[in-house]
Amino acid sequence: MICRSGDKHYQPISWDKAFLTIADQLNKLDSPNKAIFYTSGRSSNEAAYLYALFIRKFGTNNMPDCSNMCHESSGVALSQTLGIGKGSVTLDDLEHAEVAMIIGQNPGTNHPRMLSALQKLKLNGGKVITVNPLEEAGLKRFKNPQKISGFLSSGTMITDVFLQVKVNQDIPLLKAIMKKLIALDEGSGGNVLDHKFISERTSGFEAVKQDLKQHDIQDLIHQSGVPEKEINKAVEILRNRKKIIICWAMGLTQHKNGVENIKECVNLLLMKGS
């Protein structure tokens, strides 16, 4: 299909004509670097490899993939807080974590291979906190189709606590969790947060505490839409554990406040020295 300049609708076009049209546009450029070749995460490895060869043969490295749209806010938030714009854990880390917080993503639907990693985490004694407006079946109980036990057993319970947050109210929820952790820390003589890590490796902790003090805990809970007893369950899981990983996807990044969403995730992790 093609939508020519001035047209209001797409029109059918033959493959030969499509190839010639693309080639004509590319050949008109006075520099290969004036072209951008965008691609999707849905493309196969083989197709993406050939596409990359074509682009480099054409003479440019302007080949952004879908993460430039999907995770641009992640890159900005992580660069501004951690100094690195990419994820900081490996798949093996997930297996050996004490807690995984799954926020704003649906692994069972969109990336089901993640469920086997979460299953290993659970079998190693780890806990999973799921934050999402929608409760997904795969994050409740998982039967691994590649294991005989997946057919013979009742499966592995993945989620320990499900926080059914209102759409785009993750920040109030995360702030409520942090306020409760700080209160527990102050009441236990500093045994909940990693104060050594905070003092040696971070900056701005007092500013974060001051910001949290401005918010009423009940207002935050009400905004989040999550019952306080469920938030308390999540806080109790996080209280004495340090090997915490937060995983997120489009449910956090595709909002106007996507950068701020991810910064709050980072704040929580840094408080715990995770």
Side-chain angles (χ1 to χ4, degrees):
M1 304 291 288
I2 187 171
C3 185
R4 295 181 176 87
S5 178
D7 288 352
K8 294 183 178 180
H9 303 284
Y10 282 88
Q11 302 292 335
I13 186 174
S14 69
W15 280 109
D16 286 343
K17 194 78 173 201
F19 291 141
L20 288 171
T21 300
I22 294 169
D24 181 58
Q25 292 297 314
L26 292 177
N27 286 328
K28 285 180 180 178
L29 300 175
D30 54 27
S31 168
N33 289 322
K34 289 190 176 181
I36 295 177
F37 298 83
Y38 189 79
T39 187
S40 167
R42 294 292 183 184
S43 63
S44 67
N45 285 340
E46 292 80 6
Y49 178 70
L50 288 174
Y51 193 48
L53 288 181
F54 159 61
I55 295 163
R56 291 194 172 100
K57 181 68 175 177
F58 183 68
T60 184
N61 275 328
N62 292 343
M63 42 192 294
D65 59 25
C66 60
S67 59
N68 285 83
M69 180 184 73
C70 300
H71 278 291
E72 187 68 18
S73 48
S74 299
V76 171
L78 292 173
S79 295
Q80 291 179 356
T81 54
L82 302 180
I84 180 173
K86 299 292 184 180
S88 57
V89 298
T90 67
L91 192 59
D92 287 339
D93 292 329
L94 189 64
E95 179 180 337
H96 298 291
E98 293 177 302
V99 182
M101 290 186 68
I102 312 299
I103 305 182
Q105 64 179 128
N106 302 305
T109 303
N110 297 319
H111 31 267
R113 288 187 63 186
M114 183 181 182
L115 293 177
S116 60
L118 292 175
Q119 184 183 44
K120 290 177 181 177
L121 177 149
K122 289 304 298 288
L123 294 176
N124 285 337
K127 300 289 185 181
V128 174
I129 300 170
T130 299
V131 182
N132 209 15
L134 178 69
E135 189 171 22
E136 187 180 58
L139 281 173
K140 294 175 68 176
R141 184 181 296 275
F142 173 59
K143 294 184 178 183
N144 193 330
Q146 295 182 322
K147 303 286 185 180
I148 294 178
S149 59
F151 293 94
L152 301 180
S153 72
S154 59
T156 303
M157 291 293 295
I158 299 295
T159 297
D160 294 281
V161 177
F162 173 57
L163 305 180
Q164 192 167 17
V165 68
K166 290 180 181 178
V167 173
N168 197 23
Q169 294 303 313
D170 305 277
I171 288 178
L173 175 62
L174 291 166
K175 284 183 181 292
I177 290 173
M178 287 188 283
K179 276 183 72 78
K180 285 179 173 288
L181 287 172
I182 289 174
L184 287 172
D185 183 73
E186 292 173 348
S188 65
N191 293 323
V192 175
L193 306 183
D194 190 336
H195 291 279
K196 185 174 186 295
F197 179 86
I198 291 170
S199 63
E200 294 179 357
R201 300 287 183 175
T202 73
S203 62
F205 178 56
E206 289 303 319
V208 171
K209 287 178 66 176
Q210 288 301 315
D211 172 70
L212 292 173
K213 285 181 180 179
Q214 297 175 20
H215 297 280
D216 178 77
I217 186 68
Q218 293 305 319
D219 287 343
L220 293 172
I221 293 169
H222 177 72
Q223 290 176 52
S224 75
V226 181
E228 186 170 11
K229 65 177 183 179
E230 299 303 316
I231 296 177
N232 289 339
K233 290 178 184 177
V235 170
E236 195 58 35
I237 287 175
L238 296 169
R239 178 175 185 169
N240 295 317
R241 293 176 172 89
K242 182 176 177 179
K243 296 179 181 179
I244 304 164
I245 293 175
I246 298 181
C247 307
W248 64 81
M250 306 306 96
L252 285 193
T253 63
Q254 299 302 294
H255 292 289
K256 289 183 178 180
N257 51 289
V259 172
E260 287 73 23
N261 285 339
I262 291 142
K263 284 184 175 181
E264 295 296 357
C265 293
V266 174
N267 283 338
L268 174 56
L269 291 171
L270 294 181
M271 282 185 184
K272 293 292 296 179
S274 303

